[in-house]
């Protein structure tokens, strides 16, 4: 995913450079306030911290995987010479999965369970940026700041092989925060940015599980998959 992003970046820069060199009647001038829209491709990474089953800390670290996500946001920017303050409001979607051996739940069961989930978030980043290159129509900057998000668990599914089924109600922590660092380029009214989000808070709350054998409940208890979410994001935007 990262290699693919890096390989298409030069092509995008060349394409945007061609647009920038063309005369545009409504080109973006130096304004105190700008607003625009950005669309991004996101690659989430799970940061494992602790795993508790029946309130007993487990030494086993789940095998996490994640799918490519996407996000869309509008933003407003206040410009102060080379400095700017950018506030965004948007939504994102991503999916994750965790693989666990079922003997952690029930000694007599030696199978593998996959817990998968899909999440939709409402995001509000507040970013400070500094333009270290600012020669119209080109501008290059670095930025950073907190992002606050509210999450909705879109789906939570469990798959277990053979005769056992593990059902997990892994409650999501709706309010969470992360810190963003990134680099951005602006060519005329078009923007490109790479950003990395570092999860500060945990994204799950303690939940419950139920293990079935041949559709008959054999074990139930509590589960707490304590982890955070880091995110690598690549976006394209336009100033309106």
């Amino acid at each position: 995913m990262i290699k693919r992003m890096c390989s298409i970046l030069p092509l995008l820069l060349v394409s945007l450079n061609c647009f920038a060199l063309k005369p545009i009647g409504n080109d973006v001038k130096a304004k105190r306030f700008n607003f625009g829209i950005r669309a991004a491709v996101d690659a989430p990474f799970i940061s494992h911290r602790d795993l508790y089953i029946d309130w007993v800390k487990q030494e086993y670290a789940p095998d996490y995987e994640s799918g490519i996500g996407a996000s869309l946001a509008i933003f407003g920017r206040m410009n102060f010479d080379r400095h700017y303050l950018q506030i965004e409001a948007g939504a994102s979607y991503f999916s994750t999965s965790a693989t666990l051996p079922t003997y952690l739940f029930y000694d007599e069961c030696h199978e593998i369970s996959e817990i998968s989930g899909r999440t939709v978030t409402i995001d509000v980043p507040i970013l400070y940026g500094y333009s270290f290159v600012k020669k119209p129509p080109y501008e290059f900057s670095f930025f950073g700041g907190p992002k606050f998000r509210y999450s909705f668990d879109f789906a939570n599914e469990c798959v277990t092989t053979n005769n056992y089924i593990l059902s997990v109600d892994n409650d999501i922590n709706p309010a969470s925060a992360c810190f963003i660092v990134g680099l951005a380029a602006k060519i005329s009214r078009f923007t490109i940015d790479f950003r990395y989000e570092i999860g500060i808070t945990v994204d799950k709350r303690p939940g419950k599980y139920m293990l079935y054998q041949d559709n008959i409940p054999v074990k139930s208890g509590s589960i707490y998959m304590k982890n955070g979410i880091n995110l690598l994001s690549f976006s394209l935007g336009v100033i309106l």
Side-chain angles (χ1 to χ4, degrees):
M1 178 60 192
I2 298 175
K3 291 182 179 179
R4 199 174 289 177
M5 286 181 173
C6 294
S7 65
I8 65 175
L9 179 59
L11 296 176
L12 291 170
L13 289 174
V14 171
S15 301
L16 294 181
N17 184 51
C18 293
F19 278 111
L21 294 177
K22 293 181 180 180
I24 301 177
N26 296 321
D27 198 4
V28 176
K29 298 178 181 179
K31 296 180 181 180
R32 179 56 62 94
F33 179 79
N34 298 118
F35 68 95
I37 187 170
R38 58 181 293 273
V41 176
D42 305 324
F45 302 95
I46 303 299
S47 173
H48 173 71
R49 298 176 186 177
D50 291 305
L51 171 64
Y52 294 89
I53 296 177
D54 296 328
W55 298 111
V56 177
K57 185 176 180 179
Q58 306 294 317
E59 297 300 325
Y60 182 88
D63 183 15
Y64 288 102
E65 293 184 0
S66 57
I68 297 301
S71 59
L72 184 67
I74 58 175
F75 63 85
R77 177 186 292 189
M78 291 288 293
N79 299 295
F80 308 95
D81 192 20
R82 288 181 176 268
H83 307 266
Y84 63 86
L85 179 66
Q86 180 166 307
I87 301 177
E88 303 177 6
S92 62
Y93 167 86
F94 59 87
S95 61
T96 59
S97 65
T99 301
L100 290 170
T102 49
Y103 68 76
L104 295 175
F105 303 89
Y106 190 50
D107 292 338
E108 298 180 13
C109 183
H110 298 279
E111 300 180 7
I112 299 297
S113 295
E114 180 180 338
I115 305 171
S116 60
R118 290 173 285 172
T119 303
V120 175
T121 66
I122 304 298
D123 310 313
V124 181
I126 302 174
L127 306 174
Y128 161 78
Y130 177 77
S131 300
F132 54 89
V133 174
K134 194 170 185 179
K135 295 182 178 180
Y138 306 102
E139 184 176 332
F140 296 91
S141 63
F142 59 83
F143 58 88
K147 183 176 94 168
F148 306 96
R149 62 186 173 207
Y150 194 89
S151 304
F152 303 89
D153 222 357
F154 188 73
N156 199 0
E157 303 171 349
C158 300
V159 178
T160 307
T161 57
N162 299 330
N163 299 324
Y164 289 90
I165 298 176
L166 178 66
S167 175
V168 174
D169 181 13
N170 203 7
D171 200 9
I172 197 168
N173 186 16
S176 58
C178 63
F179 191 85
I180 297 175
V181 292
L183 293 171
K186 183 167 78 72
I187 305 176
S188 186
R189 61 177 64 249
F190 302 99
T191 65
I192 300 175
D193 76 53
F194 277 98
R195 58 180 66 183
Y196 190 75
E197 302 177 7
I198 303 168
I200 299 174
T201 58
V202 295
D203 73 315
K204 299 290 185 184
R205 295 190 296 195
K208 298 179 180 180
Y209 72 86
M210 178 72 75
L211 184 67
Y212 298 86
Q213 182 181 16
D214 297 324
N215 296 321
I216 299 173
V218 293
K219 181 75 182 295
S220 65
S222 64
I223 180 172
Y224 184 19
M225 301 175 70
K226 188 177 180 181
N227 52 50
I229 295 180
N230 301 334
L231 195 72
L232 177 65
S233 178
F234 167 69
S235 76
L236 294 174
V238 61
I239 296 176
L240 304 174

